[in-house]
Amino acid sequence: MTQSLPGQAPPAGPPRAGAKQAPPTQSTRKEAIVNATSGMTLRALPRIPHSVKRLLLGFSSITVDGNTLDTTLQLMLAAQHVAGIQSGLVANDDIAAARAQLDFLAASFKQNIPVAAVTNLSIPGPAGPIPARHYRPAEGVAPVLVFYHGGGQAIGSLDTHDDLCRKICRDGAVHVLSIDYRLAPEHKAPAGSDDAFAAYKWALDHAAELGAKPDLVAVGGDSAGGNLAAVVTQRARNEGVPPPAVQLLIYPVTNYRDETRSQTLFAEGYFLTKRDLHWFRDKFLDGAQLDVSDPRVSPLLADDLTGLPPALVLTGGFDPLRDEGRQYADAMRAAGVSVDHREFGSLVHGFANFFPLGGGSATATAEMISALRAHLARA
């Protein structure tokens, strides 16, 4: 079935007949106000002239480690702070609430970018069907990107990354197959990566059925999804499976074991926090079959990085994950892998999802898609 699938905000309007509702608490009322304020702030940002943004910020700027924070993102973070919105990607320790909050954030500035077709699929997986979503470009026969969404292996969904997948599909002229892999804490490592690998192998076998080029199957993802793309790429090499044409690693998690300088520099106040990183790691790896140093979760710690396909690695200058993304790019390059590493010094974690806000996030996302298209043309 082909359909348009916009991200969904929390339900609005009167309850269903006969439905029971808990009385509103001070906490839920405050959360509703905060969500509404956040949504209005994000929707307004693209329409505010740069000069007015600077005025609203008192003509102040933030410079850390030689990088100056993008004005649009600085205003977004400042507005959230003024509105009393908790700093960090994880807004609530309750996993269901944390997932709902990210869903709401993504829906707050949704664009519903048109593509030729969007189809929900079900892919056979190691523990049952894996939901997936196929985005078809107008160009028809084209490469396919198997995409894994971010969210610390614990939150995020097909809907939170719907706009990004649509933009990659439309502007990159590629098919995008977005994968809804199993999440922690319900499914510890390596459940998510097992799903990711199964989906990649399915794409190799079924690319032609999608209308894509069977010999041009790439993998990619942001943050935890970038981690999965790197893990899938290494596993394909190790198990003799045809390698991805390109690996697109957007501010990837590459090392769950070690702490980096960027995690300390940007521990608080830049969207993704050090507390978030620890929360995600605990949900993903506490009680898991794999240790934090296992390359099946920490690809940077693999003994051998030779023989991997070309990599396009993106990092942000104000991202706690900046340094491990840099380190993975450097390590692959040292092992003889062709690496295109691009660091956007003014941007925070999540900038690829913030492209609807304009500013440097939009510029960086456009550059990323252009670079991906060029790499696929050479593959």
Side-chain angles (χ1 to χ4, degrees):
M1 182 174 69
T2 300
Q3 56 183 325
S4 175
L5 296 163
Q8 298 296 316
R16 299 187 310 274
K20 295 182 179 179
Q21 284 189 304
T25 65
Q26 183 176 355
S27 175
T28 56
R29 284 194 296 267
K30 180 180 179 182
E31 185 172 315
I33 293 170
V34 164
N35 281 341
T37 304
S38 176
M40 288 186 291
T41 300
L42 293 171
R43 285 190 294 272
L45 268 177
R47 299 191 295 273
I48 301 175
H50 185 267
S51 59
V52 176
K53 293 176 186 176
R54 297 287 298 132
L55 177 64
L56 290 170
L57 291 167
F59 300 101
S60 67
S61 59
I62 297 173
T63 300
V64 179
D65 214 22
N67 292 317
T68 299
L69 184 62
D70 174 74
T71 299
T72 298
L73 294 175
Q74 183 184 348
L75 183 58
M76 178 193 79
L77 295 169
Q80 290 180 336
H81 177 74
V82 169
I85 298 173
Q86 178 182 339
S87 174
L89 176 56
V90 180
N92 195 305
D93 284 337
D94 177 77
I95 189 68
R99 288 169 180 167
Q101 185 68 25
L102 184 59
D103 289 343
F104 183 87
L105 175 65
S108 294
F109 47 91
K110 189 101 173 67
Q111 290 190 335
N112 291 318
I113 295 169
V115 296
V118 181
T119 308
N120 279 347
L121 303 173
S122 182
I123 293 173
I130 304 169
R133 188 172 293 170
H134 173 218
Y135 302 82
R136 183 185 297 271
E139 286 76 1
V141 179
V144 58
L145 172 70
V146 182
F147 185 86
Y148 309 111
H149 67 77
Q153 313 277 6
I155 62 177
S157 65
L158 298 178
D159 286 339
T160 60
H161 287 64
D162 183 69
D163 252 5
L164 178 57
C165 289
R166 287 171 177 269
K167 186 168 181 64
I168 293 172
C169 173
R170 185 193 67 182
D171 297 352
V174 297
H175 293 259
V176 177
L177 184 66
S178 185
I179 308 302
D180 201 13
Y181 56 91
R182 285 173 288 168
L183 297 177
E186 298 91 338
H187 306 284
K188 302 285 187 176
S193 64
D194 286 345
D195 285 355
F197 190 57
Y200 170 66
K201 291 193 295 182
W202 185 91
L204 289 175
D205 293 337
H206 296 270
E209 296 172 28
L210 298 176
K213 296 180 178 179
D215 58 340
L216 282 178
V217 179
V219 294
D222 65 309
S223 194
N227 172 276
L228 291 176
V231 168
V232 164
T233 300
Q234 288 191 20
R235 186 168 173 181
R237 180 203 59 184
N238 295 344
E239 298 186 16
V241 173
V246 175
Q247 44 179 331
L248 170 64
L249 310 181
I250 309 169
Y251 32 82
V253 179
T254 66
N255 184 356
Y256 280 100
R257 184 189 67 189
D258 301 320
E259 186 170 310
T260 62
R261 179 169 172 269
S262 60
Q263 289 181 19
T264 301
L265 280 176
F266 310 111
E268 181 70 28
Y270 299 100
F271 185 62
L272 178 69
T273 68
K274 191 173 183 179
R275 177 187 177 277
D276 292 339
L277 295 178
H278 290 166
W279 190 85
F280 287 134
R281 184 180 63 191
D282 290 345
K283 292 288 184 287
F284 181 48
L285 292 171
D286 187 20
Q289 302 173 28
L290 305 180
D291 182 76
V292 292
S293 61
D294 194 305
R296 288 173 291 177
V297 294
S298 295
L300 176 61
L301 304 182
D303 292 333
D304 180 14
L305 295 177
T306 61
L308 298 177
L312 173 58
V313 183
L314 310 176
T315 50
F318 284 81
D319 187 350
L321 299 182
R322 180 194 69 186
D323 290 355
E324 61 194 85
R326 285 179 178 176
Q327 290 165 4
Y328 195 53
D330 291 343
M332 286 191 291
R333 190 179 290 114
V337 179
S338 174
V339 177
D340 179 359
H341 174 212
R342 303 185 184 207
E343 184 158 297
F344 300 94
S346 66
L347 304 184
V348 301
H349 188 82
F351 66 77
N353 286 93
F354 290 147
F355 74 85
L357 306 182
S361 299
T363 301
T365 304
E367 181 178 327
M368 173 192 79
I369 296 172
S370 177
L372 174 64
R373 188 169 186 174
H375 283 290
L376 287 169
R378 292 194 295 267

